Amino acid sequence: MTTQHSKLYGVSLGIDFPKAFVRGLLQRFADKDPHALARAHVIVNSARMMRRIRQEFIRSNATLHPKFHLVTDVTTLCGNFEKTSPKSSLALRLELVQLVTRLIQEQPDLAARSSVYALSDSLANLIDEVQSEGVDPAVIEALDVSDQSGHWARAKRFFALIRTYLDTLDTVPDTQSFLRDQIEFLATKWFKNPLLDPVFIAGSTGSRGTTMDLMAAVSRLPNGAVILPGLDRNMTAETWAQFSDRLQGQDHPQYRLAKVAAIFGMEPMTIPEWSDMTPINAGRNALLSLALLPAPVTDTWRKNGPLLPDLMHATQEITMLNAPNKRLEALAIALKMREAVETGENVALITPDRQLTRQVTAALDKWDILPDDSAGMPLQLSPPGRFLRQVAGVISRPMTAASLLALLKHPITNSGDTRGDHLLLTRELELYLRKQGIPFPTQAILEKWCITIQHDQAPVWAHWVIDAILKAERSGISDFASWVEHHRTTATHIAAGPSLSDDAGQLWQKKAGAQVRTLFTTMQDAAHAAAPLDVRDYVDIFSGILAKGEVRDFKQPHPNITILGTLEARVQAADTIILASLNEDTWPAPPSPDPWLNRKMRADAGLLLPERQVGLSAHDFQTAFTLGTQVWITRSMRSDDAETVPSRWINRLSNLLNGLDKTGGPEAFEDMQARGNAWLNLASAFDHAPSIAAARRPSVAPPLSARPKELSVTEIKTLIRDPYSIYAKRVLRIRSLDSLDQTPDARLRGIIIHEVMEEFCKRWDEFQADQRADALIRLTREKLAERAPWAVTQLFWQSRMIQIAEWFVARETERRIIATPMNYEVKGRLNFPNLDFTLTAIADRIDAHSDGIALYDYKTGKPPSTDQQLYFDKQLYLLSMIAEDGGFDGLDPAAVVIAAFIGLGSSPKEEPMPIAKEDIATARDGFRKLISAYSDPDSGYTARRALFKTEDFSEYDQLSRFGEWDITDDPQKDHLT
Amino acid sequence: MTQMNDATRRQIQAAQPGVSTWLSANAGSGKTRVLTDRVARLLLDGVSPENILCLTYTKAAATEMQNRLFKRLGAWAMRDDADLRSDLTELGLSQSLDAEALRHARTLFAKAIETPGGLKIQTIHSFCATILRRFPLEAGVSPQFKEADERSITILVRDILEKMARTPALDDVMSDLARYSSDTTIDSVLKDILTKRSSFHPANTQAQVSAEFGIEAAKTVSDHINEHFGDADIKLVNDLVPHLLKSGPRDSDAGLKLSGVRALSPQTLAIFEDVFLTKTGKNPFTAKIGTLPTKALAQGAAEPFIVDLNDLMLRVQDFRATRIALINAQRTAALHAFASEFLPRFAQEKQLRGWLDFEDLILKARDLLTNPLVAEWVLFRLDGGIDHILVDEAQDTSPAQCGRPHI
């Protein structure tokens, strides 16, 4: 076995790491017996890296491959490591929750009871770090902190919990401590008995304490070596020296590599190159390296910038896309991918921004291109995921009509063999709920509906809905296992449907289904660790767990179009690499605020500094930027309502280039942008739609045979003000669907008030004169409770009645002096044979007068004024006409002595028919004229002919395309045949 | 040295970091530029970027400032000596600009960009959110609190209102609320209560409200009325009405309005005011002595009533202020009673969900920082403290936000 010259190697930026690693390895083993390679161990940083390296081995001539491991799983290397398997992270979180809860119970002023889960989560993150960095919690508690406020003492209480928690791990560890123990074991084992086989750690920069420890152990092996990815060969010794201070430079991409070099006792400048491959574009490497210099050294930009060779060559493959918004950014990227599919090239999109990747994927869907997205789909958005979330709602909240129907329509609900009937019955139920305007469906309502349906499966189905869904709501405190069980059985019952079969329809099918099934098992297994809780807390925990899951689609993605997270940047080169969403706060992301310690405290305790995340991100960026044959850097300049701040790396690069005016920097920069703009123009052109002429204000003239031969009295007002609505309703026969979530509106109020008034008038004599107002108020309250199931609505509508009750009773008393109520809700009709037309009506109330009859109509708001009655609201006149001709059921022709609107709004008043200005006979003539006019085949039903206010809403505004025209436009006659 | 005009000179003076300045200038007068310059000056003087905090009112202003600053500092990094010297002089630097000073100026770009934690230019709102996330125990909030958006708050408020309407113990409070508002105005009433929630902390009692309006709390509305009016007044009006109705249009209009009067009540008083007092003109709300009834009637059939009528009209005029005060006191008391029930419930529901709304962010951060011991702890944990705070766009200050920069 050749002695290795070094223990530490690097692969430069701009070189495909898996390719270089395999190449270098094979060269070193070229003259050896194939079994030598088979005895080697390769430890890599991620599964994806492992896959790629394996692929490269397959492509090569190697007959036997080495053994592969992950840095997070050295079990095979350990061999006979005897320790119990680690607990699930869920069980540990739940244990922590118990600890925190107990602490708060003992000292209630420490924190609010409702913060328990959030505090536990936060503490769990700290524990994770403490373990991975190998920090003794006692060190944290002993930090030198001067504080008069008493808060440090508080925080220390929580840190004490960490110690308690870690002590429990001695019996059963968690994943972090398990890994730590394994690595310690390995190090000891190799110390006593060094492994002679070659061991390589490839592709890791040692960002976690445990990995660093592993690297240190490997460094002591006779044939161990670490191969670093993405090493910057353009850095000078002076720059590398900046990283010796622990508090400086952690945000620089090469910081971690310097630290690894320190472990090996080497100067970064002397790290040998692993293979003979060279970077794609050395000029590009140099440019970015200079741009990313840490702060104390940036004054050298002026000195060393001009020394950069051939800026044009270094930047000619860089495209800079400054999109005006995210949508265009996504569209431009999708177009580039579309081009790549045409030309057969491969494209990799690298970004932390999942919103952007979703938009790109949606844009690609137009062309049926499915990118290979390493992230997969979030489990909570998969069909079983959504279903379970809805079921969680079922068990924790009362169902509304909308949520019930949404659940019934879910593809997993009742997905056994009775699906067909199920869909039919769901539809019937929906129409019923809409028509009746029921916001909260109950068992009684379901049973009532059942009777109205002629379908032999209806009773069984309805009872299934009641049992499985409506009765599933629970409250109170239970233990975790019970909640999990209840959730699972409810979901199964809903998915299975009314048939008594055992399976759960489609619930557990496919990858996503299998994953959620495992999720339930995990929860069940961890249940012992949790304290009793209420349903809301259970749903929170469940949602949190579900949110972490991801499922990869089984559909076959396009092999050349890849979407990767930033961590995967070093894994593969591509013909074009697109680095997207390069705005500050997206990439790099801001470090999360630390509720426990500040920077110095962390440094003193040996914990990680917050800006370390930025450094890792920067390395990902630097790696990807140099790795593409072509590279795109994209961002959107505006988000929501404000300008964005470009990513610091872009800022640095732009600044450097634009300042190098003597060596063509600004021109190179302009070219980068010009290439980007060309694509943006393409994207905008893609969006471009031809202009369509605006619609004209319609005045539709259907043939006589289609025109309505019968209208109600209330429709006459519409015929005058907005004839188009009559056309739509009576000729086209289009009616809007009743809303599902019935909200208390004016229409409902009108219906209720009419019913109250009718009943009150009928029962007038039951009450004593001085108690009538109270009776009216009481009646209103009862009716509202029955018909308007919202407490706030009842409150306000009741209040209105209270305010007008006295007035109404007083006026009614006076009304009854001259006339006696006779009939309520009386139907009537009047034929006009010459016009081939019938007028129908329902009169609210007809009273008997000594000289004839009195007609009254209730209005819930302001009654129509005299002028309105003369020109638009002819309701009273029309009712009078019918009454005079004896058209009302059960009534002979009679003279109309009084006709009046009774307005029951906030300023109650009566408004009589203005008979002095226009008598009934004149009104009759006017009516005839109106109807004859519409009997002319040439007359058109005009849209919004004379609405009261310009803001008035017509139900058919969308149909008439109001907005493309306005009321100042002349109507356009449209003859229909 | 370039010639400076007055405005520029003033801008430069304002940018001198040694002098603490509270900026109040009109929009577009170069405020953002002055602030940016001031930050640049602080950095040149050797202040560490993490010790500077810039607060703006809008996100747009924050990003604009940040971009401007980076552009300027970035330009310095690449300027040659002569140009850099003149840039710095233009900024108002008077001390000698030796090679070391120039070198230092050139490193500022990277320093500002790479500050651990970032150079803090943010909206007051987002600054408060950050503080609260770093000091949840101290502020009494959940470490993972959610910033509730307007829509979620609207839905929550409606839910709370619905629950309150179903609570029998709150019947009186809720009926009063319904009496003085309507289902169309209730949303904006609730919104106002939320925005002005500090005014209800604590809410005023009935006694306090009455005192504020100068009314004796012990007396009911009827008591007040009966002190000034009596049945004789009703009789007077009833007797007068027939005469009014027979007279000309002005008189008969008045007669019609008075014809329904039967008993003393606030509504009756309102009718009296409507009929007996002027509405506009030189002396609004004064008794129509001499003009009601019209001369013909006053000297004719109504003559015997005039003296008593004038007396009544004057009393109505005098009572008007009291009547209005009574109504307003009732409404105010109802408002406070409702708010004292609503706001604690609202706070509790938010806490259960771990929500903070916009007002909460400001108020809780303020509470956190006004306690000097806590403030010291906060500054310690904020990595070396903040020595300089610059605030942009001072004119849109709300009082709570105003209190904040006085750390």
Side-chain angles (χ1 to χ4, degrees):
Chain A
M1 200 132 335
T2 331
T3 44
Q4 324 231 288
H5 298 293
S6 170
K7 298 292 175 68
L8 181 63
Y9 293 84
V11 171
S12 290
L13 290 165
I15 300 176
D16 183 331
F17 185 86
K19 269 206 178 82
F21 174 70
V22 172
R23 190 179 163 85
L25 196 64
L26 289 177
Q27 275 176 346
R28 283 171 175 78
F29 281 79
D31 53 354
K32 294 196 208 341
D33 148 32
H35 291 101
L37 189 55
R39 277 198 292 275
H41 298 269
V42 174
I43 311 175
V44 295
N45 63 312
S46 75
R48 206 172 179 96
M49 179 69 88
M50 198 192 286
R51 235 175 306 160
R52 278 274 300 148
I53 294 181
R54 278 203 154 111
Q55 272 172 2
E56 289 300 319
F57 266 109
I58 290 171
R59 277 202 204 114
S60 73
N61 306 336
T63 42
L64 294 171
H65 296 174
K67 301 195 251 284
F68 287 93
H69 316 268
L70 285 175
V71 292
T72 47
D73 182 12
V74 292
T75 321
T76 333
L77 276 173
C78 288
N80 56 337
F81 177 69
E82 270 167 39
K83 249 219 160 156
T84 23
S85 307
K87 290 189 249 201
S88 77
S89 60
L90 175 60
L92 292 164
R93 293 261 155 151
L94 291 173
E95 269 176 28
L96 204 51
V97 165
Q98 288 211 55
L99 286 176
V100 174
T101 312
R102 227 174 291 145
L103 180 62
I104 293 180
Q105 270 165 359
E106 288 166 23
Q107 327 223 346
D109 62 330
L110 266 185
R113 168 81 183 71
S114 49
S115 309
V116 164
Y117 289 97
L119 271 175
S120 312
D121 261 353
S122 185
L123 212 55
N125 290 338
L126 189 56
I127 290 175
D128 201 48
E129 244 195 275
V130 156
Q131 297 213 71
S132 126
E133 299 309 303
V135 170
D136 180 356
V139 169
I140 303 178
E141 290 175 64
L143 283 172
D144 177 23
V145 170
S146 61
D147 166 45
Q148 309 283 336
S149 69
H151 285 292
W152 179 235
R154 261 196 203 192
K156 283 204 275 191
R157 288 248 147 69
F158 284 95
F159 297 149
L161 285 186
I162 300 182
R163 253 189 296 132
T164 318
Y165 172 87
L166 289 178
D167 287 341
T168 70
L169 292 184
D170 284 338
T171 30
V172 184
D174 66 7
T175 9
Q176 275 302 335
S177 63
F178 188 68
L179 182 61
R180 271 211 148 257
D181 292 339
Q182 280 184 322
I183 293 175
E184 252 176 55
F185 176 82
L186 204 55
T188 320
K189 180 175 162 184
W190 285 347
F191 180 73
K192 289 199 223 145
N193 199 2
L195 184 64
L196 294 174
D197 295 330
V199 178
F200 304 98
I201 300 184
S204 169
T205 55
S207 50
R208 301 216 91 191
T210 40
T211 317
M212 286 289 245
D213 289 342
L214 186 61
M215 284 182 173
V218 166
S219 77
R220 291 189 280 270
L221 291 175
N223 290 310
V226 170
I227 298 95
L228 293 170
L231 180 60
D232 186 347
R233 297 268 178 213
N234 291 107
M235 299 221 327
T236 62
E238 186 197 17
T239 318
W240 284 111
Q242 299 295 327
F243 301 146
S244 51
D245 175 359
R246 193 159 188 262
L247 282 171
Q248 293 299 331
Q250 288 214 16
D251 46 12
H252 190 273
Q254 299 290 314
Y255 180 83
R256 301 276 5 138
L257 287 85
K259 289 297 147 204
V260 175
I263 291 188
F264 284 77
M266 285 175 76
E267 287 301 319
M269 298 285 289
T270 61
I271 301 176
E273 188 67 26
W274 174 252
S275 79
D276 56 2
M277 287 176 71
T278 52
I280 293 174
N281 188 326
R284 202 194 303 164
N285 285 21
L287 175 62
L288 187 64
S289 178
L290 189 61
L292 294 182
L293 283 182
V297 201
T298 46
D299 64 321
T300 61
W301 278 354
R302 261 185 62 249
K303 233 188 323 154
N304 297 345
L307 299 176
L308 286 171
D310 198 351
L311 287 175
M312 267 305 172
H313 183 259
T315 61
Q316 69 191 16
E317 286 118 3
I318 306 176
T319 303
M320 179 178 261
L321 203 91
N322 287 322
N325 56 53
K326 198 186 282 234
R327 201 182 63 82
L328 272 176
E329 188 187 355
L331 188 54
I333 293 173
L335 284 171
K336 174 66 182 166
M337 290 176 161
R338 175 73 185 85
E339 185 195 63
V341 167
E342 276 299 299
T343 57
E345 296 191 326
N346 52 49
V347 176
L349 168 62
I350 301 179
T351 177
D353 187 350
R354 295 284 293 266
Q355 218 188 40
L356 180 85
T357 61
R358 271 202 281 274
Q359 287 185 302
V360 170
T361 308
L364 287 173
D365 194 43
K366 274 198 275 289
W367 304 300
D368 265 337
I369 301 174
L370 183 70
D372 183 1
D373 190 339
S374 71
M377 181 210 298
L379 186 59
Q380 61 182 344
L381 298 182
S382 68
R386 284 189 201 267
F387 178 72
L388 288 174
R389 274 159 65 205
Q390 282 178 298
V391 174
V394 166
I395 66 175
S396 59
R397 283 191 296 270
M399 297 295 284
T400 63
S403 55
L404 174 63
L405 285 170
L407 180 59
L408 287 174
K409 290 186 193 175
H410 194 287
I412 292 182
T413 304
N414 202 342
S415 45
D417 44 7
T418 51
R419 184 104 182 131
D421 282 333
H422 166 77
L423 290 173
L424 206 141
L425 290 165
T426 303
R427 183 174 171 276
E428 291 298 326
L429 180 62
E430 177 171 1
L431 290 173
Y432 180 80
L433 290 176
R434 281 186 191 266
K435 188 134 189 279
Q436 302 294 319
I438 294 166
F440 303 107
T442 58
Q443 177 168 353
I445 290 171
L446 258 290
E447 283 169 351
K448 211 158 136 192
W449 164 76
C450 204
I451 300 172
T452 68
I453 293 292
Q454 318 285 22
H455 192 293
D456 56 350
Q457 291 302 314
V460 174
W461 188 84
H463 275 102
W464 164 73
V465 173
I466 293 168
D467 286 334
I469 302 177
L470 296 180
K471 284 192 176 160
E473 188 193 349
R474 295 274 184 281
S475 58
I477 311 270
S478 282
D479 57 79
F480 194 76
S482 309
W483 286 122
V484 175
E485 190 52 34
H486 182 56
H487 191 187
R488 204 180 59 81
T489 41
T490 308
T492 319
H493 197 180
I494 296 176
S499 69
L500 296 168
S501 74
D502 223 359
D503 73 272
Q506 299 291 319
L507 179 54
W508 311 125
Q509 302 302 326
K510 300 194 190 139
K511 274 203 180 160
Q515 262 182 275
V516 297
R517 188 177 216 160
T518 318
L519 201 145
F520 271 112
T521 318
T522 312
M523 287 202 290
Q524 210 69 37
D525 289 342
H528 64 277
L533 68 173
D534 74 13
V535 69
R536 193 186 261 166
D537 286 335
Y538 166 72
V539 172
D540 276 345
I541 293 183
F542 168 73
S543 307
I545 300 172
L546 189 67
K548 295 207 182 89
E550 270 172 9
V551 57
R552 298 292 313 273
D553 219 321
F554 58 80
K555 281 190 275 200
Q556 194 69 331
H558 197 288
N560 289 356
I561 311 293
T562 326
I563 298 180
L564 297 170
T566 55
L567 244 53
E568 294 149 327
R570 66 185 76 152
V571 172
Q572 64 191 67
D575 296 317
T576 305
I577 291 187
I578 302 177
L579 305 173
S581 264
L582 279 162
N583 282 332
E584 275 294 303
D585 290 348
T586 308
W587 199 12
S592 3
D594 183 351
W596 304 108
L597 307 165
N598 73 7
R599 222 173 137 251
K600 184 153 187 317
M601 288 157 81
R602 285 179 152 263
D604 289 343
L607 287 168
L608 308 164
L609 296 188
E611 66 268 23
R612 171 186 149 276
Q613 237 357 85
V614 176
L616 297 177
S617 235
H619 188 251
D620 296 332
F621 173 78
Q622 193 182 30
T623 308
F625 184 81
T626 49
L627 203 53
T629 315
Q630 300 271 342
V631 66
W632 278 33
I633 40 184
T634 77
R635 57 178 281 256
S636 67
M637 298 205 290
R638 286 191 81 83
S639 88
D640 296 337
D641 46 357
E643 237 183 280
T644 52
V645 178
S647 161
R648 59 191 64 185
W649 311 310
I650 301 303
N651 240 332
R652 281 164 165 271
L653 186 64
S654 316
N655 210 62
L656 179 58
L657 275 175
N658 280 321
L660 293 174
D661 45 355
K662 299 207 179 62
T663 46
E667 289 81 12
F669 187 71
E670 253 177 61
D671 283 352
M672 279 163 56
Q673 290 193 303
R675 288 189 276 272
N677 287 338
W679 282 93
L680 282 173
N681 290 339
L682 203 60
S684 311
F686 198 83
D687 260 354
H688 179 73
S691 59
I692 306 173
R696 308 284 290 277
R697 182 180 193 174
S699 179
V700 188
L704 279 179
S705 53
R707 296 184 186 225
K709 307 256 182 295
E710 183 183 296
L711 289 173
S712 74
V713 157
T714 40
E715 284 173 309
I716 299 298
K717 175 174 156 198
T718 314
L719 187 63
I720 298 173
R721 283 202 187 272
D722 184 20
Y724 186 83
S725 294
I726 298 293
Y727 161 73
K729 202 161 88 160
R730 294 309 213 96
V731 178
L732 296 179
R733 282 182 266 172
I734 301 173
R735 252 166 254 254
S736 63
L737 201 55
D738 294 312
S739 137
L740 196 57
D741 262 331
Q742 197 201 25
T743 41
D745 58 4
R747 190 169 151 263
L748 179 64
R749 184 158 168 262
I751 294 172
I752 296 176
I753 295 292
H754 275 71
E755 287 177 18
V756 169
M757 286 312 176
E758 185 179 330
E759 186 164 334
F760 180 63
C761 287
K762 279 185 187 158
R763 294 172 58 186
W764 177 267
D765 293 316
E766 277 174 39
F767 313 113
Q768 300 277 18
D770 57 353
Q771 289 170 349
R772 286 203 174 110
D774 286 335
L776 176 58
I777 292 170
R778 203 174 46 245
L779 255 171
T780 312
R781 197 198 326 268
E782 281 163 17
K783 196 55 93 171
L784 282 174
E786 196 186 300
R787 303 283 259 114
W790 305 271
V792 173
T793 309
Q794 288 173 23
L795 184 70
F796 280 109
W797 291 358
Q798 179 73 358
S799 182
R800 284 209 211 189
M801 183 55 85
I802 292 174
Q803 278 159 35
I804 62 171
E806 296 267 1
W807 172 86
F808 183 80
V809 168
R811 285 292 304 127
E812 181 68 14
T813 313
E814 284 169 21
R815 275 194 286 272
R816 283 178 190 243
I817 296 173
I818 48 174
T820 320
M822 190 167 49
N823 284 0
Y824 305 91
E825 303 288 315
V826 198
K827 291 212 175 93
R829 55 195 302 121
L830 190 56
N831 284 330
F832 293 82
N834 318 10
L835 299 170
D836 189 15
F837 185 82
T838 306
L839 181 67
T840 62
I842 303 182
D844 280 352
R845 177 176 154 176
I846 301 182
D847 292 10
H849 188 278
S850 49
D851 300 329
I853 57 164
L855 281 167
Y856 294 110
D857 196 86
Y858 298 113
K859 293 284 181 203
T860 44
K862 197 156 165 275
S865 66
T866 303
D867 279 340
Q868 283 172 333
Q869 290 196 53
L870 289 174
Y871 298 110
F872 302 103
D873 268 299
K874 315 295 286 187
Q875 200 174 348
L876 291 175
Y877 284 102
L878 295 171
L879 290 171
S880 305
M881 273 163 49
I882 299 178
E884 278 185 351
D885 286 7
F888 281 112
D889 290 352
L891 288 176
D892 294 329
V896 175
V897 182
I898 300 174
F901 287 114
I902 303 179
L904 300 169
S906 43
S907 332
K909 72 187 295 215
E910 276 171 35
E911 201 62 69
M913 191 167 68
I915 206 135
K917 302 222 168 119
E918 180 180 72
D919 60 15
I920 300 177
T922 321
R924 209 185 269 260
D925 283 337
F927 180 71
R928 281 216 168 81
K929 274 209 198 93
L930 175 68
I931 299 299
S932 322
Y934 281 101
S935 305
D936 174 1
D938 196 40
S939 64
Y941 292 86
T942 306
R944 297 183 73 97
R945 179 174 163 269
L947 286 178
F948 183 43
K949 295 199 205 132
T950 46
E951 313 90 71
D952 274 346
F953 160 81
S954 163
E955 244 181 304
Y956 300 99
D957 275 339
Q958 279 206 327
L959 188 65
S960 68
R961 293 164 73 167
F962 178 57
E964 292 181 49
W965 52 268
D966 64 52
I967 58 174
T968 62
D969 288 326
D970 287 330
Q972 174 102 326
K973 198 77 73 84
D974 189 7
H975 285 99
L976 301 178
T977 43
Chain B
M1 188 133 115
T2 51
Q3 281 286 49
M4 287 187 254
N5 59 21
D6 268 350
T8 316
R9 198 168 290 141
R10 265 201 287 282
Q11 283 188 348
I12 290 180
Q13 273 181 337
Q16 280 173 355
V19 179
S20 191
T21 315
W22 182 257
L23 269 170
S24 70
N26 297 323
S29 66
K31 252 182 314 124
T32 316
R33 180 163 161 213
V34 176
L35 276 176
T36 316
D37 286 359
R38 193 158 172 189
V39 175
R41 284 286 297 272
L42 286 170
L43 292 172
L44 282 168
D45 279 353
V47 177
S48 228
E50 58 248 38
N51 295 128
I52 301 175
L53 171 66
C54 299
L55 299 177
T56 68
Y57 275 80
T58 59
K59 185 111 191 13
T63 53
E64 193 196 314
M65 230 183 119
Q66 207 157 353
N67 284 335
R68 241 184 235 265
L69 185 66
F70 289 156
K71 192 155 178 232
R72 169 176 282 235
L73 297 177
W76 289 353
M78 301 304 292
R79 284 254 202 288
D80 64 35
D81 289 357
D83 287 337
L84 184 53
R85 276 214 174 82
S86 81
D87 271 358
L88 295 178
T89 315
E90 218 177 274
L91 193 56
L93 247 64
S94 49
Q95 58 263 46
S96 76
L97 299 166
D98 60 0
E100 179 53 34
L102 295 183
R103 192 202 76 84
H104 179 241
R106 292 201 185 94
T107 64
L108 291 178
F109 174 62
K111 255 194 172 171
I113 254 187
E114 300 279 11
T115 310
L119 175 66
K120 291 179 285 292
I121 303 180
Q122 40 186 177
T123 60
I124 290 194
H125 171 184
S126 112
F127 174 68
C128 290
T130 317
I131 291 269
L132 291 175
R133 283 201 202 278
R134 292 198 57 182
F135 301 93
L137 287 184
E138 294 82 343
V141 302
S142 163
Q144 291 167 4
F145 70 79
K146 298 190 217 35
E147 289 179 39
D149 58 77
E150 229 183 282
R151 192 179 140 65
S152 312
I153 296 287
T154 309
I155 296 178
L156 178 64
V157 163
R158 284 205 203 120
D159 278 348
I160 295 175
L161 204 62
E162 184 74 13
K163 281 206 191 84
M164 284 174 74
R166 287 187 209 271
T167 312
L170 295 175
D171 269 348
D172 287 337
V173 173
M174 295 306 282
S175 323
D176 282 345
L177 177 73
R179 176 148 30 123
Y180 296 120
S181 65
S182 75
D183 45 355
T184 42
T185 58
I186 186 66
D187 282 328
S188 63
V189 170
L190 290 169
K191 204 162 164 204
D192 278 342
I193 292 179
L194 288 181
T195 324
K196 301 188 171 74
R197 69 188 75 164
S198 354
S199 313
F200 293 103
H201 199 27
N204 291 346
T205 61
Q206 173 86 11
Q208 284 168 309
V209 171
S210 302
E212 220 175 284
F213 282 97
I215 301 171
E216 288 175 54
K219 289 194 228 170
T220 67
V221 176
S222 315
D223 291 340
H224 277 105
I225 293 178
N226 291 333
E227 273 180 18
H228 293 86
F229 303 95
D231 289 331
D233 296 313
I234 300 295
K235 183 170 186 313
L236 171 66
V237 167
N238 286 339
D239 290 342
L240 186 58
V241 162
H243 297 283
L244 287 170
L245 289 175
K246 287 194 209 121
S247 179
R250 279 230 308 267
D251 285 340
S252 53
D253 272 347
L256 258 173
K257 286 188 183 161
L258 290 169
S259 57
V261 168
R262 299 279 175 273
L264 286 173
S265 73
Q267 288 87 323
T268 310
L269 261 304
I271 297 175
F272 282 175
E273 278 179 32
D274 184 32
V275 176
F276 296 149
L277 303 184
T278 59
K279 292 202 175 49
T280 52
K282 259 194 300 180
N283 300 311
F285 306 117
T286 50
K288 289 179 184 161
I289 307 223
T291 52
L292 182 74
T294 51
K295 211 149 91 168
L297 183 58
Q299 289 167 351
E303 202 268 325
F305 300 109
I306 292 304
V307 172
D308 289 332
L309 180 64
N310 287 350
D311 177 71
L312 172 61
M313 292 206 285
L314 278 172
R315 273 182 288 130
V316 170
Q317 175 184 315
D318 290 338
F319 189 68
R320 184 170 170 277
T322 313
R323 188 186 72 87
I324 291 177
L326 274 168
I327 290 182
N328 286 344
Q330 276 176 337
R331 297 170 87 110
T332 309
L335 177 66
H336 278 258
F338 172 73
S340 69
E341 294 289 339
F342 173 71
L343 286 173
R345 284 177 168 79
F346 179 64
Q348 197 195 33
E349 290 296 319
K350 274 187 299 175
Q351 219 210 21
L352 283 177
R353 291 165 173 74
W355 286 5
L356 293 183
D357 64 17
F358 192 96
E359 301 285 328
D360 287 330
L361 289 177
I362 307 285
L363 291 172
K364 287 195 193 285
R366 182 193 63 180
D367 289 343
L368 187 67
L369 297 168
T370 26
N371 179 339
L373 291 179
V374 179
E376 224 179 278
W377 167 240
V378 164
L379 285 178
F380 167 75
R381 278 234 352 245
L382 281 178
D383 299 322
I386 299 170
D387 296 325
H388 303 270
I389 302 181
L390 298 89
V391 182
D392 188 20
E393 283 176 71
Q395 62 252 42
D396 297 310
T397 332
S398 81
Q401 295 175 337
C402 202
R404 289 249 11 291
H406 294 222
I407 299 180

